[in-house]
Amino acid sequence: MSNLTATEFTTIADIIQKRSGLMLTMDKIYLLETRLTPFARRRGMADYKLLLRDVLANPNDVILTEIIEAMMTNETYFFRDKAPFSNIDEDFLSKFRKQNATEKKLRIWCAACSTGQEPYSLAMMFNEKVVEWQGWSIEILATDISELPLARARAGVYTQFEVQRGLPINLLMKYFTQVDENWKIIPKIASAVKFQKFNLLDSMSGLGCFDLILCRNVLIYFNQAGKIKVLESLERQLNRNGALVLGASEAVFGLLPTLQPSPDLRGFYIRSEPSIASTIAA
Amino acid sequence: MKTCLVVDDSKVIRRVARRILEELQFEIDEAVDGHDAWEQCQSKMPDMVLLDWNMPVMNGFDFLRQLRGSDVPKQPIVVFCTTENDLAHIRAAIDAGANEYIMKPFDREIIEAKLSQVGLI
Ligand SMILES: C[S@@+](CC[C@H](N)C(=O)[O-])C[C@H]1O[C@@H](n2cnc3c(N)ncnc32)[C@H](O)[C@@H]1O
């Protein structure tokens, strides 16, 4: 079958970007092939180009959504990059705990949680400090645009390979049970996280404000305008003194006027102004 | 350079582990069973032992108990690397003093993650 024309490619790339933020430049055309070929085959088409041409001719919401999901990179692992988690635990949250000792309320949002390793890492982290967090109401909301990884996250079942990347053995022993070849997170940790489908391009106001937002390894796939749009929205959902944590390789220097990069915690951006949402509410 | 003793009765596994660990800047020695490992440790204690469980002569678990029960001046970090992939074995190994546990099959990424876990890289 003939190659996609530049126009066909741009049309598809445009649709994907408008709906998800994911930026596809011409040099990533191979990604369409590697990600969509298995998907096309499952739908009985030998060639992904057939699928794309078909959906361009007859736009179909369901198929488009599935195409977008297939294009996503869902790679994640427990305690990814390590340092952000110890920084959250030992620095940010230990201060937060002291500053909010009377209210005892903490809301966290993992804004692109994929298969759930990130929010579950947080939930285990809290459980490792039950005494310190005694009496606190802690909410961990975990969202993603894609249904499939979310279903896996909710099931909380991980392969042997997945539990060996980043998860210390003592936490595996403590928080997982073995189910055949796989490992299932125990109900106590599973129930500490609420999973929900959410697109970062949608209005966030319904989610309320958070003390900590993790938005890691997702904006790298967005173009500059998309990044700014999401960052501005995220900023509005942060409580005063709340922190936004981005991925290790995501420099957003200068993109956020009121979010200050933390001088000592890499990838942390602290909101010093009261949140816009709470100003309006007040 | 940190040193690692790779203990496994399979030559293939030793070779694969050696290649990965050398890439991670370790200096490698090899032992074919627990007894061999114990003898090597007495003349030269490594920083780390990568330890199989099932081996002839002396298995990894017995080696670990002997090692942890001995009064060597500096105990190495011990990471099990075995096909014994059930919780009971893992628990026994950790109780006996293993620092980490790798369930085979492994790859470079897993070795790297586990070594970072025990603070060796
Ligand atoms: C590479 S994973 C990152 C997972 C985790 N945060 C981490 O750092 O390990 C990126 C995730 O972002 C999700 N994603 C991409 N675009 C999104 C959007 N517009 N809204 C919400 N999630 C999105 C993808 O579905 C994917 O699961």
Side-chain angles (χ1 to χ4, degrees):
Chain A
M1 176 172 286
S2 63
N3 284 338
L4 288 185
T5 64
T7 320
E8 283 173 320
F9 177 81
T10 345
T11 314
I12 276 290
D14 241 35
I15 296 176
I16 295 178
Q17 179 158 343
K18 284 217 178 71
R19 290 185 167 225
S20 72
L22 178 70
M23 179 182 51
L24 274 182
T25 43
M26 205 64 181
D27 57 320
K28 295 278 164 56
I29 198 160
Y30 71 92
L31 266 184
L32 282 177
E33 178 168 0
T34 48
R35 303 273 170 91
L36 296 184
T37 300
F39 176 63
R41 297 239 161 99
R42 259 181 282 132
R43 304 194 74 89
M45 296 178 209
D47 194 313
Y48 79 99
K49 286 169 274 179
L50 203 64
L51 172 81
L52 288 181
R53 288 193 175 121
D54 186 56
V55 81
L56 284 178
N58 318 289
N60 173 321
D61 232 39
V62 178
I63 296 179
L64 268 173
T65 305
E66 287 184 38
I67 288 177
I68 288 169
E69 293 204 4
M71 290 306 298
M72 293 293 168
T73 302
N74 297 121
E75 154 135 340
T76 181
Y77 38 97
F78 290 103
F79 295 97
R80 183 173 191 170
D81 302 333
K82 244 170 135 186
F85 288 91
S86 51
N87 287 339
I88 287 173
D89 190 18
E90 285 148 31
D91 199 293
F92 180 77
L93 286 181
S94 86
K95 281 184 200 140
F96 186 91
R97 206 164 48 228
K98 286 187 198 106
Q99 283 160 2
N100 297 274
T102 38
E103 230 181 285
K104 289 199 159 82
K105 262 202 176 126
L106 170 63
R107 289 195 81 215
I108 299 180
W109 178 23
C110 289
C113 68
S114 187
T115 41
Q117 283 90 330
E118 189 177 77
Y120 284 143
S121 298
L122 292 171
M124 287 186 269
M125 201 178 85
F126 283 113
N127 209 70
E128 286 296 290
K129 293 221 166 127
V130 262
V131 180
E132 287 91 330
W133 292 108
Q134 186 86 47
W136 278 74
S137 132
I138 300 171
E139 196 186 326
I140 304 173
L141 174 69
T143 62
D144 200 281
I145 193 177
S146 303
E147 203 58 73
L148 230 54
L150 274 176
R152 284 208 57 210
R154 286 195 190 95
V157 177
Y158 297 95
T159 64
Q160 183 170 298
F161 178 69
E162 288 168 326
V163 297
Q164 297 206 85
R165 290 174 87 198
L167 187 66
I169 197 73
N170 61 320
L171 297 188
L172 178 72
M173 288 159 60
K174 206 164 160 183
Y175 297 121
F176 290 78
T177 50
Q178 213 165 0
V179 184
D180 304 322
E181 306 274 273
N182 297 320
W183 296 83
K184 186 173 168 58
I185 198 120
I186 58 170
K188 185 178 188 179
I189 301 299
S191 61
V193 180
K194 190 177 139 205
F195 290 100
Q196 188 179 315
K197 185 169 168 152
F198 183 79
N199 184 342
L200 286 169
L201 299 181
D202 289 344
S203 159
M204 298 177 181
S205 56
L207 301 173
C209 282
F210 298 87
D211 305 297
L212 180 64
I213 300 177
L214 287 81
C215 184
R216 303 168 67 220
N217 306 302
V218 53
L219 294 183
I220 30 167
Y221 304 109
F222 287 39
N223 67 12
Q224 194 78 344
K227 273 183 203 167
I228 294 177
K229 176 176 158 35
V230 173
L231 288 169
E232 279 174 354
S233 311
L234 288 174
E235 186 177 13
R236 264 181 243 127
Q237 303 314 121
L238 268 184
N239 284 326
R240 185 171 187 172
N241 295 324
L244 169 68
V245 182
L246 300 176
S249 55
E250 298 171 291
V252 292
F253 189 71
L255 290 186
L256 302 155
T258 67
L259 272 184
Q260 299 302 321
S262 157
D264 28 50
L265 305 180
R266 183 153 180 238
F268 280 59
Y269 294 80
I270 310 289
R271 149 155 234 144
S272 44
E273 305 291 313
S275 77
I276 296 169
S278 59
T279 318
I280 292 166
Chain B
M1 224 184 197
K2 295 219 164 75
T3 53
C4 177
L5 181 63
V6 175
V7 190
D8 204 303
D9 57 340
S10 151
K11 198 172 169 185
V12 178
I13 298 280
R14 291 201 305 273
R15 202 186 315 132
V16 173
R18 171 189 278 276
R19 208 192 47 225
I20 294 172
L21 286 159
E22 281 180 346
E23 276 170 24
L24 295 168
Q25 308 302 317
F26 279 79
E27 191 186 303
I28 308 300
D29 282 310
E30 295 179 21
V32 296
D33 59 51
H35 181 73
D36 184 12
W38 177 243
E39 293 210 316
Q40 293 196 41
C41 283
Q42 272 161 326
S43 54
K44 178 187 170 199
M45 189 57 83
D47 297 306
M48 168 194 161
V49 180
L50 189 74
L51 186 62
D52 186 19
W53 193 300
N54 288 312
M55 291 176 292
V57 190
M58 182 194 261
N59 71 29
F61 188 70
D62 291 341
F63 161 81
L64 176 65
R65 281 202 300 204
Q66 184 156 330
L67 176 73
R68 293 306 192 218
S70 69
D71 54 1
V72 294
K74 191 175 172 283
Q75 285 281 350
I77 282 174
V78 175
V79 177
F80 257 106
C81 184
T82 167
T83 46
E84 300 298 340
N85 292 351
D86 58 288
L87 254 181
H89 275 89
I90 297 175
R91 206 160 262 140
I94 300 299
D95 287 349
N99 301 81
E100 257 298 342
Y101 201 100
I102 294 170
M103 297 176 265
K104 285 174 182 165
F106 63 89
D107 62 4
R108 187 197 153 105
E109 231 173 288
I110 290 177
I111 297 245
E112 239 184 300
K114 292 292 183 177
L115 292 195
S116 142
Q117 216 56 256
V118 295
L120 278 172
I121 51 172

